[in-house]
Amino acid sequence: MARIGNQKKKGFVKPITAKKQTNVDHVTGEKIPKSFVFSRGKLPGPLRQLQMDLRKLMLPYTALNLKEKKRNNLKDYLNVAGPMGVTHFLILSKTESAPYLRVARTPQGPTLTFKIHEYSLAVDIAQSQLRPRCPKDLFKNPPLIVLSGFGTGDQHLKLTTIMFQNIFPAIDINTVKLASCQRIVLLNYNKDTKLIDFRHYSIRLQPVGVTRRLRKFVQNHQVPDLRSLQDVSDFVTKAGYGSESEADDEAATVTLASDLGRVNQASTKSAVKLQEIGPRLTLQLIKVEEGLCSGGIIFSEYGGEKKQDNKSDRKKDQDNTGSDDEDESEDEDMGEDESEGQEVDEED
């Protein structure tokens, strides 16, 4: 009789599946905007760091470790953007005069071209602060977007407003969780100088009427050093370092609808504190194109629309002349197109 050996039963092992990001926005019902941040042409070291800062700013719906190669062109990024659900491109470039930032909607545009007048990296802003703040989960959720000064009625400013509003996911104030609102991006347009101030802040809440010493005691879960004190009440009443009344400004206080951490409780007043984390940019909108880095010019700071009108009128006049004149006019137009292409290549 055959002997049956002891066979161990193999337990069921549940496969580990990576948690996928949701591709549909629960507020608008549309797909969540995603972005690529890359460069065209060779960039110096500071602009390379600015590119990484912009990628961190666009987290979590961006490719933080996007690899670029010299042979890659715009069409290569566009072919990859479709299957990955990428909706926006942020393109950095550098010419002899100034660096530029292009913000484009895929796959058919429009494209906004900004001239970067000034910029500061995130590391420079952190070094200038006494207590820089950058928690680990700060970039876990997308930032809020606030636009100021864009309501002048101009078409190019309306396009700028729509572009930046759609580059981040929309929020519903009735269902949004306060813990997810940790960053804010502020764009302020100055109609006198025609410059846009681009700022990136972190948001934190502090309970009103609670000293810094008590806040640290609750947050750190550590037993305080009471050796130099006569009584426990001295620990509570003794003034700590820093301004204890800095959070008592009524204009910056809110009443929380739900608990937020161990310190900020529901139905209590908390002060909203903003701390800049960078990068910091000063931008000027110089051109708006209909397509993806191509097409007709909707707006140009340097009078591109007038140039196009003059060219069309000149072509009409040349069409009325003889065949020999038409051949000469075609040669002149080709020369002008080649010169414009050289200028675009220099910007790229």
Side-chain angles (χ1 to χ4, degrees):
M1 186 174 178
R3 186 175 180 180
I4 301 175
N6 295 331
Q7 296 180 357
K8 294 183 180 180
K9 295 182 179 181
K10 295 182 179 180
F12 175 73
V13 180
K14 186 177 180 180
I16 300 175
T17 57
K19 186 177 180 181
K20 296 183 179 180
Q21 293 180 342
T22 57
N23 294 325
V24 179
D25 192 349
H26 70 281
V27 177
T28 61
E30 301 177 354
K31 62 179 182 179
I32 293 177
K34 298 180 181 179
S35 61
F36 275 167
V37 182
F38 56 94
S39 62
R40 302 297 295 151
K42 187 176 181 179
L43 296 181
L47 282 178
R48 283 290 179 186
Q49 185 60 42
L50 178 62
Q51 176 179 305
M52 291 303 300
D53 291 344
L54 289 176
R55 288 182 181 180
K56 290 186 65 177
L57 184 146
M58 300 300 297
L59 286 175
Y61 299 112
T62 191
L64 182 62
N65 299 319
L66 179 65
K67 295 183 179 180
E68 305 175 52
K69 295 182 179 180
K70 292 182 179 180
R71 63 175 179 268
N72 292 138
N73 53 28
L74 191 60
K75 188 176 180 181
D76 296 333
Y77 293 103
L78 192 59
N79 293 334
V80 178
M84 298 185 65
V86 176
T87 58
H88 292 82
F89 285 167
L90 277 75
I91 309 171
L92 280 171
S93 59
K94 177 71 169 64
T95 64
E96 295 181 357
S97 59
Y100 292 86
L101 172 65
R102 283 180 287 180
V103 182
R105 171 80 182 193
T106 61
Q108 297 179 350
T111 304
L112 309 180
T113 302
F114 298 93
K115 181 179 180 180
I116 303 177
H117 285 262
E118 297 176 350
Y119 69 92
S120 298
L121 303 177
V123 63
D124 298 330
I125 294 176
Q127 291 177 354
S128 65
Q129 296 174 352
L130 182 62
R131 300 185 185 90
R133 178 180 179 271
C134 187
K136 295 181 180 180
D137 58 346
L138 185 62
F139 299 94
K140 188 177 180 181
N141 298 292
L144 308 177
I145 180 74
V146 175
L147 302 173
S148 175
F150 288 88
T152 60
D154 296 334
Q155 183 182 7
H156 61 282
L157 294 181
K158 290 182 179 179
L159 287 174
T160 305
T161 301
I162 295 173
M163 179 70 75
F164 280 104
Q165 284 179 343
N166 295 331
I167 205 170
F168 297 109
I171 63 170
D172 185 0
I173 59 175
N174 297 320
T175 59
V176 66
K177 296 182 180 179
L178 295 180
S180 63
C181 302
Q182 297 188 8
R183 294 184 293 139
I184 183 171
V185 173
L186 173 63
L187 279 81
N188 180 45
Y189 176 74
N190 190 333
K191 63 180 180 179
D192 297 328
T193 60
K194 297 183 179 181
L195 297 180
I196 300 174
D197 295 326
F198 186 101
R199 300 291 185 268
H200 185 208
Y201 299 94
S202 66
I203 305 174
R204 58 190 176 97
L205 296 177
Q206 292 181 357
V208 177
V210 180
T211 61
R212 180 182 179 87
R213 185 182 292 271
L214 285 180
R215 289 199 307 268
K216 292 299 180 181
F217 171 68
V218 175
Q219 292 174 350
N220 296 336
H221 306 278
Q222 295 179 357
V223 179
D225 187 5
L226 305 177
R227 290 178 297 178
S228 60
L229 304 178
Q230 299 295 331
D231 190 55
V232 179
S233 60
D234 296 339
F235 175 78
V236 180
T237 58
K238 184 178 180 181
Y241 60 90
S243 176
E244 299 295 342
S245 60
E246 61 181 0
D248 294 340
D249 187 6
E250 291 294 334
T253 58
V254 294
T255 302
L256 300 180
S258 60
D259 295 344
L260 185 62
R262 293 171 54 88
V263 179
N264 299 281
Q265 301 297 319
S267 301
T268 60
K269 286 188 176 182
S270 297
V272 180
K273 309 294 293 184
L274 298 181
Q275 185 169 354
E276 189 173 4
I277 55 179
R280 180 191 301 178
L281 302 170
T282 301
L283 307 173
Q284 181 186 8
L285 180 63
I286 61 172
K287 186 170 60 174
V288 178
E289 298 171 285
E290 291 182 353
L292 182 64
C293 300
S294 61
I297 298 177
I298 301 175
F299 166 79
S300 177
E301 183 66 24
Y302 306 113
E305 295 174 336
K306 294 181 180 180
K307 290 182 180 180
Q308 287 184 347
D309 294 337
N310 293 335
K311 286 182 181 180
S312 61
D313 294 336
R314 187 174 57 187
K315 287 182 180 180
K316 289 181 181 179
D317 295 335
Q318 291 173 351
D319 290 338
N320 296 329
T321 59
S323 59
D324 295 335
D325 296 334
E326 287 180 358
D327 295 336
E328 293 178 1
S329 64
E330 289 178 359
D331 295 337
E332 290 177 0
D333 292 338
M334 288 296 293
E336 290 177 358
D337 293 338
E338 290 177 358
S339 64
E340 290 181 356
Q342 291 178 358
E343 292 178 359
V344 173
D345 292 338
E346 289 179 358
E347 290 184 359
D348 290 340

